[in-house]
């Protein structure tokens, strides 16, 4: 699908999408140039032009892209027009924040429900999403064809929950627990380690002279 | 300070640190080889060896590094032995999760307090941290020399809060609101856009053939 597209381009496409949909209505109805996008995101404009040309044919010299068209082209390419179900394991504050987070829909993600093992909240709803017992995950994921999961459980139970997820058919895992998860071949994990992110921001970004 | 060290190396150092401190006590008291670290993190071992050699002289052929010494060397280089105060603006679930998150201390970060504008929670405590009114941020940050802030307020108030932070002397901002923040020169923002991360994980990582 991504024939002739480098991983660097693929990594940048969602950022372009993210920037374009964050523009005010008025601008979304107009045109935008690769140069303007490059400036806004602090990227090289030749690179941005190449990236956009690889997924959209709508670019016009001197005029740029019809913004709405470009949003649609990138979204289509990345599958943002799909509706992929996502489940969240761990109903602490992070988990609750995930269920309440509104930004997912624009990217074609539906947060379907939450899982926990605290009997007191099983069966309740958070932001309109039902909380199930972790033991029900396999049945739920297979029934709803879910292959994306978010782990927001404490460190000590993260690996166990991760194994339950992969057994349930989850192939993409966004992990907020600060541990390295062992997963079967073919499962992709993204570790969202907030401490690490903060460390990179406040400790190394200052050192980098670019 | 980072003379002769590439930004790639700098970006990887916190990951090594993160991996080493996540090892069981028994292993932390022993030795570890660059090869073992490379395997665990799925990196090239020549690269890892180079990275580690740039911050620690403790590597011995066939024996590897004394793990505790390596942790200390990397931590020292990255300033993880400092104690830098961090403030959090926005006491929704994300903000609460930040105040409760235990992982920050190992990286030398002290989450000092939270800020909000909801009078009902001003003066209360979350995880032992006091909640102040957002209008008190400037005074607090100057008094405690804080230059790191985390933004967990809703999108609509993020820019306003960001400006309050930078006026208060904050130079490093971890932003969870899904908008692009305009900051003065010299202020570094890291946007933690969960939707974008999930999109990159579930939509583009599958396309990348590496």
């Amino acid at each position: 699908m991504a024939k002739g597209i480098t991983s660097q381009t693929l990594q940048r496409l969602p950022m372009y999408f993210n920037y374009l949909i964050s523009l005010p209505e008025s601008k979304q109805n107009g045109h935008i140039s690769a140069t303007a996008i490059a400036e806004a995101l602090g990227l090289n404009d030749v690179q941005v032009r190449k990236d956009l040309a690889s997924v959209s044919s709508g670019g016009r010299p001197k005029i740029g892209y019809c913004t709405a068209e470009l949003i649609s082209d990138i979204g289509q390419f990345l599958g943002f027009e799909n509706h992929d179900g996502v489940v969240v394991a761990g109903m602490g504050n992070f988990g609750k924040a995930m269920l309440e987070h509104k930004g997912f829909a624009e990217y074609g993600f539906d947060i379907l429900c939450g899982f926990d093992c605290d009997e007191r909240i099983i069966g309740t709803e958070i932001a309109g999403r039902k909380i199930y017992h972790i033991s029900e995950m396999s049945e739920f994921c297979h029934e709803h064809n879910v292959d994306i999961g978010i782990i927001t459980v404490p460190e000590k139970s993260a690996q166990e929950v991760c194994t339950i997820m992969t057994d349930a058919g989850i192939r993409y895992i966004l992990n907020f627990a600060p541990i390295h998860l062992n997963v079967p071949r073919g499962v992709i994990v993204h570790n969202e380690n907030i401490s690490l992110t903060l460390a990179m921001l406040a400790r190394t970004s200052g050192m980098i002279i670019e």
Side-chain angles (χ1 to χ4, degrees), chain A:
Chain A
M1 181 172 179
K3 224 196 232 158
I5 287 198
T6 69
S7 62
Q8 284 70 24
T9 298
L10 269 174
Q11 295 293 308
R12 285 188 294 266
L13 288 174
M15 299 180 201
Y16 301 142
F17 181 87
N18 185 56
Y19 169 68
L20 294 169
I21 62 171
S22 71
L23 291 170
E25 197 92 0
S26 58
K27 285 193 172 181
Q28 285 194 35
N29 297 330
H31 285 70
I32 190 161
S33 70
T35 315
I37 296 173
E39 269 174 24
L41 298 176
L43 296 169
N44 172 301
D45 67 331
V46 176
Q47 186 176 65
V48 174
R49 197 166 289 107
K50 270 181 65 182
D51 289 344
L52 299 180
S54 65
V55 293
S56 175
S57 56
R60 306 256 174 289
K62 298 226 163 48
I63 300 168
Y65 288 86
C66 161
T67 311
E69 214 175 281
L70 186 56
I71 290 173
S72 155
D73 287 344
I74 299 174
Q76 215 157 31
F77 180 84
L78 295 174
F80 289 176
E81 289 164 3
N82 309 358
H83 286 287
D84 293 340
V86 179
V87 295
V88 182
M91 289 297 110
N93 286 317
F94 260 126
K96 285 186 205 140
M98 290 297 136
L99 293 195
E100 289 168 352
H101 187 61
K102 290 182 183 57
F104 290 122
E106 289 171 318
Y107 294 82
F109 296 114
D110 292 337
I111 305 293
L112 298 177
C113 66
F115 290 93
D116 204 277
C117 55
D118 180 348
E119 295 296 347
R120 290 167 301 179
I121 61 166
I122 309 298
T124 63
E125 287 193 353
I126 296 172
R129 276 97 175 184
K130 194 159 174 209
I131 312 306
Y132 294 94
H133 191 278
I134 194 84
S135 63
E136 301 174 272
M137 185 180 288
S138 181
E139 187 186 347
F140 185 95
C141 290
H142 285 116
E143 193 177 309
H144 297 81
N145 255 306
V146 183
D147 67 356
I148 306 170
I150 302 177
I151 294 181
T152 55
V153 300
E155 188 170 349
K156 58 177 175 6
S157 35
Q159 181 60 61
E160 185 188 349
V161 166
C162 172
T163 305
I164 293 172
M165 275 193 173
T166 53
D167 289 348
I170 298 287
R171 290 178 49 233
Y172 302 101
I173 295 175
L174 180 56
N175 171 39
F176 280 91
I179 66 158
H180 176 82
L181 297 171
N182 298 313
V183 293
R185 211 162 188 259
V187 174
I188 303 172
V189 176
H190 177 88
N191 294 303
E192 197 67 56
N193 184 329
I194 309 289
S195 313
L196 191 56
T197 305
L198 196 61
M200 289 176 155
L201 167 69
R203 296 287 167 63
T204 71
S205 60
M207 297 183 186
I208 300 167
I209 306 99
E210 287 175 315

